[in-house]
Amino acid sequence: LKLEEVIEQIKLEVLKWKTEIFLLSDDCGSYWLDIWTNFWKLVKEIFKLFDNIRLHITNIYPSYLVKYYDDIKNYIYDNKIPYILIPMQHYSYRILKLMNRSYDVKKIIEILADIKKESNTNLCNHIIFNYHEETLEEFVETFKYLQYYNRTFYFKYSDVNKIYLSNHISYDLDKKFILLKKLKKKYTID
């Protein structure tokens, strides 16, 4: 959506006396980078126009939280952003590298500690465990950082048979739904 469209959607909600607005994306932080602007400019614009709302941010890639934290921390301190979901996935640099993630874990920890010290923002997290080659020490290491979060969602890693998926990606929608039903039936635990 364009900035004007997002603002218009929020305006409609504010007219209904809504004060809690949820911004959802696979990664809010990368939103609009393709048009040479960024998500945090949207956040600033929203608060400039609507000073009585609070934004809940669902899914901000950790690297973008680090990159833009100085731009938004005052909104967090003022309780304008009461909820942030940060899908860290792991805290071991080695495992993150294997997962093709490039976060600065130490910087993330500094930011989380600052948020906890300066605000009441609810922080949520995604953790992937049982990643291949993960050691018990790395598994335990990840859990010691969960103290910074109000809630953590856990996902058990499992390999995907890439050949099987690649043979089915081009199916039309009806065939995908049939495949989904078969996979659901196959992997559902009674």
Side-chain angles (χ1 to χ4, degrees):
L1 293 175
K2 295 178 183 174
L3 174 69
E4 298 80 21
E5 294 170 319
V6 173
I7 297 297
E8 194 56 39
Q9 289 287 326
I10 293 173
K11 196 180 292 182
L12 292 172
E13 296 304 311
V14 169
L15 289 172
K16 297 178 198 172
W17 298 98
K18 303 263 171 86
T19 57
E20 305 287 321
I21 304 296
F22 291 77
L23 300 175
L24 301 123
S25 173
D26 287 338
D27 176 20
C28 288
S30 64
Y31 190 65
W32 287 356
L33 291 177
D34 58 336
I35 57 170
W36 303 101
T37 186
N38 64 60
F39 176 71
W40 305 112
K41 288 180 183 176
L42 168 66
V43 169
K44 287 179 185 180
E45 187 66 23
I46 289 169
F47 286 131
K48 188 168 76 174
L49 296 170
F50 309 103
D51 63 351
N52 64 328
I53 67 167
R54 298 183 335 150
L55 294 177
H56 297 248
I57 299 172
T58 301
N59 282 359
I60 176 72
Y61 193 73
S63 297
Y64 291 116
L65 181 63
V66 169
K67 183 174 182 175
Y68 296 112
Y69 185 64
D70 287 338
D71 294 332
I72 62 148
K73 66 182 175 185
N74 288 329
Y75 297 121
I76 293 170
Y77 296 166
D78 292 340
N79 202 27
K80 294 286 210 174
I81 302 176
Y83 176 91
I84 305 172
L85 191 148
I86 309 157
M88 270 300 287
Q89 300 178 348
H90 216 284
Y91 282 82
S92 161
Y93 281 106
R94 188 181 77 81
I95 296 296
L96 288 171
K97 185 176 180 180
L98 289 171
M99 296 170 125
N100 292 317
R101 311 291 190 265
S102 57
Y103 321 146
D104 183 343
V105 173
K106 289 179 184 176
K107 187 65 178 165
I108 294 287
I109 297 302
E110 289 172 16
I111 289 171
L112 295 174
D114 184 57
I115 291 172
K116 283 298 183 193
K117 179 182 169 199
E118 301 293 336
S119 77
N120 292 321
T121 297
N122 284 301
L123 296 173
C124 295
N125 184 17
H126 290 170
I127 291 295
I128 295 174
F129 65 94
N130 204 37
Y131 191 78
H132 60 84
E133 298 184 34
E134 178 185 58
T135 65
L136 181 59
E137 291 81 15
E138 290 165 328
F139 178 76
V140 171
E141 175 188 356
T142 288
F143 278 81
K144 73 181 181 183
Y145 296 111
L146 301 185
Q147 64 182 312
Y148 296 103
Y149 297 95
N150 300 87
R151 173 173 284 170
T152 297
F153 301 96
Y154 301 93
F155 300 92
K156 182 180 179 285
Y157 176 82
S158 63
D159 282 319
V160 175
N161 185 335
K162 294 178 182 142
I163 296 168
Y164 177 78
L165 285 178
S166 68
N167 290 336
H168 293 85
I169 287 175
S170 62
Y171 274 25
D172 62 27
L173 194 56
D174 289 337
K175 289 181 182 177
K176 284 183 181 177
F177 280 117
I178 292 168
L179 176 62
L180 180 62
K181 284 181 182 180
K182 287 179 182 177
L183 290 173
K184 185 177 177 185
K185 188 174 185 178
K186 182 177 180 180
Y187 293 108
T188 299
I189 300 170
D190 294 327

